[in-house]
Amino acid sequence: MSRKNFGAKPLCYPQPVFIIATYDKNGTPNAMNAAWGGISEENEISLCLSPEHKTCKNFAETGAFTVSMADADHVAGCDYVGIASGNDVEDKFSKAGFTATKSEFVNAPVINELAVCIECRVKSYDEESCILRGEIVNVSVDESVIKDEKVDVSKVRPLCFDPFNRAYHVMGEKVGEAWGSGLSLT
């Protein structure tokens, strides 16, 4: 077997495609695409966001943000909010085709078009490391993707970022049971 070395780079699978949403000081929703992040504690999410993003200015003022799972049905809008800067494009949120409902739990928008949303309070943000830590106060899910009281990933169709090829892929194929498939080896 031979291997190819790619060097020290942020290349791994899967990388979720997160859409971070905030309100500005006037209550206008903004969103950005972020792939570097994940659950870091039982009730905490951590993301890598450089301080020049409008999103960072917004959550510094409001103390809150939401994290929605990008999905296949909205790939163009989800990609657009990663291409366009809220510092340069007025109302890029609506240009992406998004509408918002204010979270019941935090001062941040829930993107109506994206089915899964993590609603967070800012725990900390370090501009030097670019690490944002948020306290998860609620996860809301659109009922259209719930089947038998469980989220149906085949209906959500969440995106994963492929950093090797700069592409998006859809998650959904079930290949085993967590805390079950490995029991055959015991």
Side-chain angles (χ1 to χ4, degrees):
M1 172 188 270
S2 95
R3 301 181 70 85
K4 177 171 177 45
N5 295 319
F6 284 85
K9 296 180 182 177
L11 305 175
C12 72
Y13 294 121
Q15 285 192 16
V17 180
F18 291 142
I19 307 301
I20 316 307
T22 56
Y23 284 125
D24 69 11
K25 62 184 172 189
N26 301 316
T28 303
N30 182 59
M32 68 171 284
N33 181 317
W36 294 355
I39 302 300
S40 48
E41 294 285 343
E42 180 77 16
N43 67 339
E44 180 183 276
I45 191 165
S46 296
L47 304 156
C48 183
L49 306 178
S50 54
E52 67 272 1
H53 290 293
K54 181 175 172 80
T55 298
C56 295
K57 295 171 187 143
N58 290 350
F59 68 65
E61 289 187 20
T62 64
F65 61 96
T66 60
V67 180
S68 294
M69 309 298 117
D71 65 36
D73 292 342
H74 301 94
V75 65
C78 291
D79 191 52
Y80 174 74
V81 297
I83 295 169
S85 169
N87 293 315
D88 303 325
V89 177
E90 192 173 317
D91 201 15
K92 76 175 188 176
F93 193 88
S94 66
K95 287 181 180 181
F98 295 148
T99 60
T101 301
K102 186 177 183 304
S103 165
E104 294 178 42
F105 301 91
V106 297
N107 185 18
V110 173
I111 301 173
N112 296 324
E113 291 71 22
L114 302 178
V116 179
C117 180
I118 302 170
E119 301 163 52
C120 304
R121 275 191 216 100
V122 174
K123 285 179 83 171
S124 65
Y125 179 64
D126 179 15
E127 287 190 17
E128 191 172 308
S129 68
C130 302
I131 300 299
L132 166 64
R133 292 173 48 231
E135 174 192 3
I136 299 169
V137 296
N138 186 51
V139 177
S140 61
V141 179
D142 190 283
E143 290 190 26
S144 68
V145 300
I146 297 176
K147 180 180 178 184
D148 300 326
E149 300 299 314
K150 294 182 181 179
V151 176
D152 183 343
V153 70
S154 69
K155 290 182 178 182
V156 175
R157 301 180 66 220
L159 296 180
C160 286
F161 174 58
D162 171 359
F164 290 92
N165 300 292
R166 295 181 62 173
Y168 297 116
H169 295 267
V170 176
M171 287 183 53
E173 179 186 0
K174 182 178 177 179
V175 296
E177 294 291 332
W179 295 279
S181 294
L183 293 176
S184 64
L185 303 176
T186 59

